[in-house]
Amino acid sequence: MDIKHLHYFCVIVEEGQITKAARTLNMAQPPLSQQLKNMEDELGVRLIYREGKKWEVTEAGYTLYTRAKRLLAEMEDTCREIGEFENKITGTLSIGTSSACMSLITEQLSRFHQDYPEVYIKIGHGDTHHLEELLHQNKVDLALLLLPVDDKSYHSIELEGVSFVAVLPSEWADRHPKWADRHPSGEITLQEAASYDLLLGRRTEGHGLYETVIRKFQEHHLIPRVVLDCPEISTILSLVSTGMGITIIPDAGLGQEYGDRFRILSIKEPFPFTRPVVVWRKDRYLSNAARKLVELLQAENTKKTVPE
């Protein structure tokens, strides 16, 4: 049994089916089934119970899976570390980010590319829960997300705090000319916001933006009319642009690509800032490329926080 076989076994467990695993590994199903049987014969124990349509990882199989994931991660880290002894900044840099945060590092990524053009950059999107899963599955090097996170597991850089804004569809003014005169100060009260249908971002698991917004309404004895929640801010903004309702999000969630599709209002009542943070695992080797991006972000963050 070698590293390749351990990789095959992990993919089988993660896909939950030999057929899907074979497709993921780009190989035929019979040889993969034989590999699994050979591993069980070599170890003298059943790793996956298979009977008709019933498919279940045994206790021994789960133990092997957790140990194999650790060994594969250590092997990958070792190869990356050894491969970087020449100190060349190359390879692939994988970044996970929530759509509410992406605009915060676009300029830094562009500058990073100018400095290190040989680095290939991969960006994946998701809510905080999904991004933490990607980190623990070693599928991203760094993640840019919103607090709170499990800070015991990560090194982190807190970025500058971002205020919340109310986002309303511009098309309402086109449909109803008198509506354009509403909120002339560029502000909206929470009581006014509670009168609209509200679309909110919500993590797949855990507390975050959704709970922060709802708690603020409750502090003012208001019950917002929430009609939809979704983990993707970009999806919510697309729906707001159709006139479905309004949303309350961190100001960083609005990129230039949305143009004049929205009317952005500040919230009159004091609202807590949200803290974006860049995190990476404490127990994983960080590539030279990832380290250079971290250094860039740290330098930028220091400039913003040093008083004049």
Side-chain angles (χ1 to χ4, degrees):
M1 183 169 55
D2 57 23
I3 289 293
K4 181 174 69 174
H5 296 143
L6 291 177
H7 173 61
Y8 287 170
F9 180 71
C10 288
V11 173
I12 291 171
V13 172
E14 289 163 1
E15 293 294 345
Q17 190 184 77
I18 295 285
T19 304
K20 289 182 180 178
R23 195 178 303 126
T24 299
L25 292 166
N26 196 28
M27 64 186 295
Q29 178 181 339
L32 185 59
S33 297
Q34 187 60 49
Q35 290 280 8
L36 177 59
K37 185 178 184 306
N38 291 344
M39 290 179 68
E40 291 179 326
D41 291 344
E42 182 179 345
L43 294 170
V45 65
R46 180 73 70 90
L47 299 173
I48 297 176
Y49 180 80
R50 314 178 285 289
E51 191 74 35
K53 292 186 177 180
K54 190 172 183 181
W55 195 97
E56 184 177 352
V57 181
T58 66
E59 184 177 355
Y62 185 74
T63 299
L64 177 62
Y65 171 75
T66 54
R67 298 286 179 85
K69 289 295 287 185
R70 194 177 309 135
L71 285 169
L72 290 168
E74 289 177 359
M75 177 64 72
E76 181 184 345
D77 285 350
T78 300
C79 291
R80 292 177 71 180
E81 189 170 359
I82 297 300
E84 292 183 344
F85 265 96
E86 295 297 325
N87 292 321
K88 293 180 180 178
I89 311 301
T90 59
T92 298
L93 173 59
S94 298
I95 304 169
T97 176
S98 70
S99 52
C101 295
M102 184 61 214
S103 64
L104 295 173
I105 62 166
T106 50
E107 291 184 7
Q108 290 89 338
L109 279 179
S110 180
R111 191 153 58 252
F112 177 86
H113 172 66
Q114 292 173 11
D115 293 339
Y116 309 105
E118 294 185 28
V119 175
Y120 185 86
I121 301 171
K122 290 179 64 175
I123 296 178
H125 287 277
D127 70 347
T128 295
H129 174 71
H130 178 63
L131 295 176
E132 289 195 80
E133 284 187 336
L134 293 180
L135 278 169
H136 285 286
Q137 293 168 3
N138 305 320
K139 293 182 177 178
V140 296
D141 300 302
L142 307 169
L144 173 61
L145 36 77
L146 298 174
L147 291 175
V149 294
D150 177 14
D151 58 359
K152 294 180 181 178
S153 302
Y154 308 119
H155 293 297
S156 63
I157 308 170
E158 273 196 38
L159 304 183
E160 191 174 16
V162 179
S163 60
F164 281 84
V165 292
V167 183
L168 287 66
S170 294
E171 72 152 22
W172 283 357
D174 298 331
R175 289 184 188 177
H176 309 288
K178 290 184 178 180
W179 187 87
D181 297 329
R182 299 183 68 176
H183 315 296
S185 65
E187 291 183 325
I188 187 171
T189 66
L190 286 175
Q191 185 169 2
E192 289 170 329
S195 68
Y196 294 110
D197 288 341
L198 189 59
L199 288 60
L200 288 180
R202 191 173 198 172
R203 293 184 182 183
T204 307
E205 289 187 19
H207 291 263
L209 186 154
Y210 181 93
E211 289 73 20
T212 298
V213 173
I214 293 298
R215 184 165 58 248
K216 199 63 187 177
F217 277 103
Q218 291 173 342
E219 288 174 3
H220 289 78
H221 308 290
L222 296 168
I223 301 176
R225 194 163 65 239
V226 180
V227 299
L228 176 146
D229 69 67
C230 174
E232 277 294 327
I233 298 297
S234 56
T235 300
I236 289 176
L237 290 172
S238 294
L239 292 169
V240 170
S241 71
T242 68
M244 183 175 176
I246 75 169
T247 189
I248 295 176
I249 60 171
D251 198 10
L254 286 164
Q256 295 178 348
E257 68 272 18
Y258 293 106
D260 58 356
R261 293 160 62 188
F262 303 112
R263 186 178 180 197
I264 314 302
L265 302 176
S266 59
I267 299 171
K268 190 170 185 178
E269 290 83 357
F271 219 92
F273 281 84
T274 185
R275 286 282 176 182
V277 61
V278 177
V279 300
W280 61 99
R281 282 175 51 177
K282 291 180 177 179
D283 60 347
R284 284 298 312 276
Y285 169 75
L286 200 61
S287 69
N288 284 341
R291 290 177 189 277
K292 289 299 181 182
L293 181 59
V294 165
E295 290 171 6
L296 181 81
L297 293 171
Q298 286 175 324
E300 284 291 312
N301 195 49
T302 302
K303 287 179 185 177
K304 291 178 180 177
T305 55
V306 172
E308 296 182 359

